[in-house]
Each structure stands twice: as C-alpha cells, then as structure tokens.
Amino acid sequence: MKKITILIPALIFLCSFGISQTTYSWRSEASNGNWNVDENWWSGSTGVPTGGEIINFDNNTYTSMTNNLSAANRHQILFSSSATVARTITGVTENTFYDFGGTKPKVENNSAASHILSFPIKIGYNPMEINPVSGDLSMIGNIDNNGNYIDIYGNNSNTLSIIGVISGTGGLSLKQNSTVELVSSNTYSGATTIEAGTLVIAGNLASSAITVQNGGTLTIEGSDVTVSSLTVESGGIVNISPNMGLTVSGNLANSGTVTINSDATGTGSLIVEGTPTGNSTIERYIVAWSDATHGWHFISSPVASQAIQPEFVPTTPTTSEDFYKWDESALSTPWINSESSSGVWNSSFESDFVEGGGYLAAYSTNQTKTFSGVLNTTDVGKA
C-alpha cells in the first residue's frame, strides 16, 4: 500500500507535466518579421518556438513575416482580438500540425482583421480546425491533409479562402456559418460535407463526393467545375452562378434546391454524367424586343411537365408577350400563336412544354423565366 500511495502522486505529476502547453507570443518589441530570432518571441523568457506549441499574435508589430523556423511542428496558430492589422506570414517549409494532450490543432482568427498564411501545411491529427471567428483567413500554401479531415467553424459569416491545393485521402467539413472559398483545383479524395455555411467552388473537386445538408449552401463560381458526386439533402441549397458550369461525374441526388442561374451575362450549366434525381430549377434570361423583327428567342424546356402558364404566358394573355410553337403539319402557317385572335388563350395550344419541342418567345421587358421540375435525361423523338 505504501508503494501505491507513492506512485499515484508521481503519475499525477507526470501526467500534469505531459499535458502542459507552452504559448509563444510575438513581442511588440520584435526587431524584424523573422520567426527564427529569439528576441522576437516571449514564452516566459525569450527564445524561438521549438515545435508543438501555441503561437499567438496579439499586436501589430511587423505584420509582414517569414516563418523560417527550423522546428516545423505546430499545434495552434492564434490571432487575438488585439491583432487589428492584416498580417501575412510567408515561408517555404511545410509545417505539420499535431494534437497536444488530446486537443486538436487549429488556426483561429479572433481579430476583425484579415490574416494570410502563405506556407505549406500538413495535417498530423484528425481533425484539424480552421476557424475565422471574427475576421477572414486566407491559406495560400498547399495543404496535405495526410488522410485527415479539416473542420471549418466560425459563426459570424466570415470568409476562409483556401487558395493552395488540398491533397490527400482526407476530406473537408463546414460546421458553422462561414463562407469557404476553394479557389484552385483540389485533389483530395475524402468526402466534402456542408453542414452549415456556404462552400464556394471555383476549381475542380473531381475526386470528392459532396453532400449539402439542411442549412448548407454550395455555390459554383468556376466555368468548368467537376465533382465526383453530389447529394443535396432536404433544406440544402446548390446555386450555379450565371456563366459558370458544374459537371457531376457520378450521380446527382437532390432532395433540396438546385438552381442554374441566368442573367444578362449568361446562363449557368449543369452536366450530370450519372443519374439525376429530384427537381431542379433552371433560369433563362430573355432580352426584351426592340422592334417587330428583333428580340425573338428560341426556348425549350429542360425539365418534364413544365407548364406554359403563368410563367411564360399570363393566364390572361396580354400584348406584352408573344409565345408561339412550331407545327410542321400546318404548312401555310406553321407558327401557332398561344393567343387566339380574340385575345384569349388558344385552346388548341398545349398546356405544358412538349419534351424536345421548340418554342418562340418575345417579351416587352427583360425577363428571367424559370423552369422547375425533373430534369429531362433521355433522348426524345421529333416533337
């Protein structure tokens, strides 16, 4: 019993010692922006970080910095609320972020300023947290997830821009109401899950399956973005911006809202190489007529069972729109007007767009018309 009594306090002492964590703070008396200068840091005494520590910035001294430490292991990088000027940290050595005592590694911005990390990163623990709490963050260096996940927090609608390439078999999860921008074509193969907030994709994500959960939004801002597959759960939102394009090499399973947007600059594009399910919304921007011979537009429905009225022609037709169909059997007058000579709906005109059928429309003002329904995916015969 005496041995047990002696050993337990010793173990407690060792455990307490093992989980202590050193914080290195950047000194307001720093003489330059180099990380490898002893006098630029304070952790109870001067000296450079030796690896596995918390690095804290709480002032605006030398906001252009170089991470040139020989010790390349990191635990956390924190920007406090008093770091009120944008800071850029460059470097060429890959820094590996590890846990410490069961606490996950992270980069966190608690200041209102925007800060930039421009050195390569490797993730050594699952998961690593990135949190633009009060201000934006930009990650310019490449990120090797090393089979681990990146969890992104931040509930103040701030932006995390990941400009470098993310590689590895791990994935990405948006946990709170941040906006995350993936600027480059990333090669990571783990899942991408949008639990909340907005993910903006400008480059390819060809190896990752994306799930948009209730409260999450996916925005496509690249002209030719490819993803492995796309699942949109109830309450999830996908927006393809005008003139931008999304290709889903696998299946699109949609129980939420998928919108292909259109405006004066152009119309978005969606290509599903697998099987699409669920309803989608496709906009078509139509420029107004300028005279009797200009302003006609050919349109056809990309969805099944799209009603013509009231979206394309009011329930009571007016002189502000013209809407015709082509009828080859009526050789003398093949263009059939949806409005009868008496100014009411032509009862011989179909109520829904015919799949594969072409229509001719003109409007007195610029219009954004909406098709909504199940995407047409099969070949159709001549209408």
Side-chain angles (χ1 to χ4, degrees), residues 17 49 68 97 117 119 157 169 191 209 232 261 264 277-278 293 334 337 358 363:
F17 178 80
N68 48 6
F97 281 74
L117 300 186
F119 54 85
S157 299
T169 57
V232 187
N261 292 277
T277 56
T293 58
N337 196 341
Y363 298 94

Side-chain angles (χ1 to χ4, degrees), residues 230-283:
L230 178 58
T231 300
V232 187
E233 298 179 356
S234 178
I237 297 172
V238 175
N239 284 309
I240 302 173
S241 297
N243 255 349
M244 302 303 166
L246 171 64
T247 297
V248 183
S249 56
N251 296 331
L252 166 60
N254 176 29
S255 299
T257 302
V258 174
T259 303
I260 304 172
N261 292 277
S262 179
D263 62 17
T265 66
T267 299
S269 168
L270 172 63
I271 299 172
V272 181
E273 296 177 347
T275 301
T277 56
N279 292 338
S280 297
T281 298
I282 301 93
E283 295 181 350

Side-chain angles (χ1 to χ4, degrees), residues 150-180:
I150 301 172
D151 285 353
I152 301 169
Y153 289 84
N155 212 25
N156 297 313
S157 299
N158 295 309
T159 299
L160 168 65
S161 296
I162 300 179
I163 299 170
V165 175
I166 306 174
S167 62
T169 57
L172 185 74
S173 295
L174 277 67
K175 299 290 189 179
Q176 290 181 316
N177 193 32
S178 295
T179 296
V180 179

Side-chain angles (χ1 to χ4, degrees), residues 10 22 42 46 50 112 191 231 287:
T22 302
W42 183 259
T46 57
T50 56
T231 300
V287 178

Side-chain angles (χ1 to χ4, degrees), residues 40-329:
N40 289 345
W41 297 98
W42 183 259
S43 62
S45 61
T46 57
V48 300
T50 56
E53 63 290 305
I54 296 172
I55 291 179
N56 181 54
F57 299 99
D58 58 2
N59 58 57
N60 300 317
T61 304
Y62 287 100
T63 54
S64 294
M65 318 182 79
T66 302
N67 174 2
N68 48 6
L69 293 172
S70 58
N73 291 340
R74 301 276 82 80
H75 176 48
Q76 295 182 355
I77 294 179
L78 308 177
F79 301 94
S80 76
S81 59
S82 53
T84 57
V85 177
R87 187 181 298 271
T88 299
I89 305 170
T90 62
V92 296
T93 301
E94 182 180 73
N95 280 220
T96 302
F97 281 74
Y98 289 103
D99 68 311
F100 191 91
T103 303
K104 60 187 174 183
K106 70 178 176 180
V107 175
E108 184 173 272
N109 183 13
N110 291 290
S111 77
S114 300
H115 301 294
I116 299 172
L117 300 186
S118 184
F119 54 85
I121 288 173
K122 186 175 183 178
I123 300 175
Y125 180 79
N126 188 34
M128 176 176 174
E129 177 182 331
I130 304 177
N131 194 340
V133 179
S134 301
D136 298 341
L137 280 169
S138 294
M139 316 285 280
I140 295 180
N142 292 336
I143 301 174
D144 177 4
N145 67 35
N146 194 33
N148 299 302
Y149 272 71
I150 301 172
D151 285 353
I152 301 169
Y153 289 84
N155 212 25
N156 297 313
S157 299
N158 295 309
T159 299
L160 168 65
S161 296
I162 300 179
I163 299 170
V165 175
I166 306 174
S167 62
T169 57
L172 185 74
S173 295
L174 277 67
K175 299 290 189 179
Q176 290 181 316
N177 193 32
S178 295
T179 296
V180 179
E181 300 173 340
L182 297 182
V183 177
S184 302
S185 291
N186 293 283
T187 61
Y188 71 88
S189 57
T192 300
T193 305
I194 309 171
E195 300 176 22
T198 299
L199 177 63
V200 180
I201 301 180
N204 282 334
L205 202 55
S207 299
S208 181
I210 299 179
T211 299
V212 186
Q213 296 182 354
N214 181 19
T217 299
L218 171 65
T219 299
I220 302 301
E221 287 287 356
S223 59
D224 188 19
V225 174
T226 298
V227 302
S228 175
S229 65
L230 178 58
T231 300
V232 187
E233 298 179 356
S234 178
I237 297 172
V238 175
N239 284 309
I240 302 173
S241 297
N243 255 349
M244 302 303 166
L246 171 64
T247 297
V248 183
S249 56
N251 296 331
L252 166 60
N254 176 29
S255 299
T257 302
V258 174
T259 303
I260 304 172
N261 292 277
S262 179
D263 62 17
T265 66
T267 299
S269 168
L270 172 63
I271 299 172
V272 181
E273 296 177 347
T275 301
T277 56
N279 292 338
S280 297
T281 298
I282 301 93
E283 295 181 350
R284 170 71 186 275
Y285 181 82
I286 301 175
V287 178
W289 69 58
S290 56
D291 54 50
T293 58
H294 297 86
W296 294 95
H297 303 269
F298 290 108
I299 61 175
S300 186
S301 178
V303 302
S305 304
Q306 172 64 51
I308 296 172
Q309 292 184 300
E311 178 67 16
F312 296 87
V313 180
T315 303
T316 301
T318 72
T319 58
S320 296
E321 64 282 327
D322 289 303
F323 196 87
Y324 291 81
K325 69 175 179 178
W326 178 263
D327 184 357
E328 290 188 1
S329 64

